[in-house]
């Protein structure tokens, strides 16, 4: 919903005319006794035809409870940009956000579990290990709670792993990576590619088309949804299917504000989260990508290169120091527990 412009909303977000805070939860009330309004955001646009309808499906689940609360939902970064979302959540400008886990592992290192090299495939195949109320979900939220953050749902798993996509300056093997300037979002992916001589560059997906077109980067680590959603297939010529990393699309709240929500509103979000768990990652990975996106990539004439067994083994070996590095960020014991759960050993 876009009843307010971005400037108007930000101006009124605190204690603007006719606005009040309810139970400290940051919900806007426009009239005494009227249902409160909760504001949510995503930087993703309708061009992400795989993800966007399912995100809106979550929002539509919430809108079934219009007697309890109203939802203002802003997509495409129209209220806050991708890199501003976490700050807006903390400030109370918004009450919930959809975010890509790889974008915010710097802020919340525990989310790196969704993108650890050589581990990410396990969460793509066994998405249920990330489901709401699963042991891994609980570990993640125990750590996030220290930063007053709560992850409602991670969409029932990570999306298909991110591969290496390149233009005219082809990357079709590990050896081709040496000296290449590559767009990388997560620390985990950046760390695992360092031994191969990669120069990493952090570029938001909204700016990636021009970066590839102008040669600012020679390759990009990306999920197929970014390649299609941002029309990068117009500039990309090659795909090296090395499963470098992965991400989940998750829904976040500030924990103290979540805790203060009325039980009936929390229940509505909980049910929507369960719906998202069931319908997001599994649908994309099992049906949408193989039936819709990969045929489009092939039609665009992009050449596909699969890593050799030797390359996969080398990459697995190079991944282990990244696992060790990641565990140091959140604590050895907690990190190992999360890894074990992701591997199905817990």
């Amino acid at each position: 919903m876009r009843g307010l412009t971005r400037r108007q909303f930000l101006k009124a977000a605190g204690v603007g005319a006719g606005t009040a805070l309810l139970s400290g939860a940051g919900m806007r009330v426009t009239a005494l006794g009227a249902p409160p309004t909760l504001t949510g955001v995503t930087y993703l646009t309708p061009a992400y035809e795989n993800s966007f309808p399912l995100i809106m499906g979550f929002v539509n689940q919430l809108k079934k409870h219009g007697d309890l609360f109203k939802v203002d939902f802003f997509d495409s970064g129209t209220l806050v940009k991708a890199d501003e979302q976490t700050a807006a959540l903390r400030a109370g400008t918004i009450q919930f956000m959809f975010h890509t886990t790889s974008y915010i592992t710097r802020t919340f290192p525990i989310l790196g579990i969704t993108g650890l090299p050589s581990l990410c495939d396990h969460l793509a195949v066994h998405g249920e290990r990330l489901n709401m109320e699963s042991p891994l979900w609980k570990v993640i939220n125990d750590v996030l709670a220290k930063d007053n953050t709560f992850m409602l749902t991670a969409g029932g798993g990570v999306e298909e792993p991110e591969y290496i996509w390149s233009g005219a300056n082809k990357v079709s093997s590990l050896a081709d990576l040496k000296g290449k300037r590559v767009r990388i979002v997560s620390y985990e992916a950046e760390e695992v590619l360092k031994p191969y001589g990669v120069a990493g560059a952090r570029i938001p997906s909204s700016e990636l088309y021009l970066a590839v077109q102008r040669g600012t980067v020679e390759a990009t680590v990306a999920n197929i949804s970014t390649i299609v959603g941002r029309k990068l297939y117009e500039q990309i010529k090659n795909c090296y299917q090395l499963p470098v990393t992965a991400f989940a699309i998750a829904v976040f709240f500030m924990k103290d504000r979540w805790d203060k929500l009325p039980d009936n509103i929390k229940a509505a979000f909980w049910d929507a989260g369960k719906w998202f768990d069931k319908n997001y990652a599994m649908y994309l990975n099992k049906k949408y990508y193989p039936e819709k996106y990969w045929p489009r990539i092939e039609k665009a004439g992009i050449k596909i290169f699969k890593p050799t067994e030797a390359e996969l083994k080398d990459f697995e070996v190079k991944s282990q120091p990244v696992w060790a590095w990641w565990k140091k960020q959140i604590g050895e014991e907690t990190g190992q527990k999360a890894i074990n759960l992701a591997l199905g050993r817990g």
Side-chain angles (χ1 to χ4, degrees), residues 60-131:
N60 289 335
Q61 293 291 315
L62 297 177
K63 289 182 177 179
K64 294 178 180 179
H65 303 276
D67 57 326
L68 297 177
F69 63 100
K70 304 299 181 184
V71 177
D72 270 348
F73 193 73
F74 296 81
D75 60 68
S76 310
T78 52
L79 184 62
V80 289
K81 295 179 181 179
D83 287 341
E84 299 171 344
Q85 286 189 185
T86 301
L89 188 70
R90 287 172 167 170
T93 306
I94 60 176
Q95 282 73 59
F96 68 98
M97 67 176 184
F98 283 86
H99 221 321
T100 307
T101 54
S102 59
Y103 266 57
I104 50 177
T105 55
R106 290 165 171 79
T107 305
F108 307 111
I110 184 61
L111 298 178
I113 190 66
T114 62
L116 286 181
S118 299
L119 182 71
C120 56
D121 268 344
H122 292 270
L123 291 177
V125 175
H126 297 284
E128 72 280 357
R129 294 173 187 169
L130 261 179
N131 278 353

Side-chain angles (χ1 to χ4, degrees), residues 106 117 164 174-201 221 242 244 314-315 318-319 321-322 325 329:
R106 290 165 171 79
I164 299 174
L174 289 176
D176 289 341
L177 286 169
K178 188 173 182 179
K180 295 291 193 302
R181 185 167 175 80
V182 180
R183 179 261 190 171
I184 308 171
V185 173
S186 74
Y187 270 0
E188 293 71 36
E190 186 174 0
E191 289 297 310
V192 78
L193 292 180
K194 278 181 180 179
Y196 297 107
V198 165
V221 174
L242 181 73
V244 178
D314 185 73
F315 188 70
K318 295 290 197 308
S319 297
V322 178
W325 167 85
Q329 310 306 305

Side-chain angles (χ1 to χ4, degrees), residues 197-231:
V198 165
R202 179 179 168 85
I203 299 172
S205 59
S206 60
E207 301 172 16
L208 190 51
Y209 187 96
L210 285 178
V212 174
Q213 184 182 55
R214 295 170 178 172
T216 304
V217 292
E218 297 165 281
T220 180
V221 174
N223 172 267
I224 192 172
S225 63
T226 299
I227 301 302
V228 176
R230 298 294 182 180
K231 296 186 177 180

Side-chain angles (χ1 to χ4, degrees), residues 113-114 122-141 150-158 248-251 270 272-283 285 341-342:
I113 190 66
T114 62
H122 292 270
L123 291 177
V125 175
H126 297 284
E128 72 280 357
R129 294 173 187 169
L130 261 179
N131 278 353
M132 293 168 64
E133 300 181 278
S134 69
L136 180 56
W137 177 90
K138 291 176 181 177
V139 168
I140 292 171
N141 271 310
F150 172 64
M151 183 182 76
L152 175 65
T153 169
V158 302
I249 298 293
V251 179
W270 195 265
K274 289 285 190 178
W275 180 93
F276 198 62
D277 259 10
K278 181 179 178 181
N279 290 284
Y280 189 74
M282 192 62 67
Y283 170 73
N285 293 340
L341 291 170

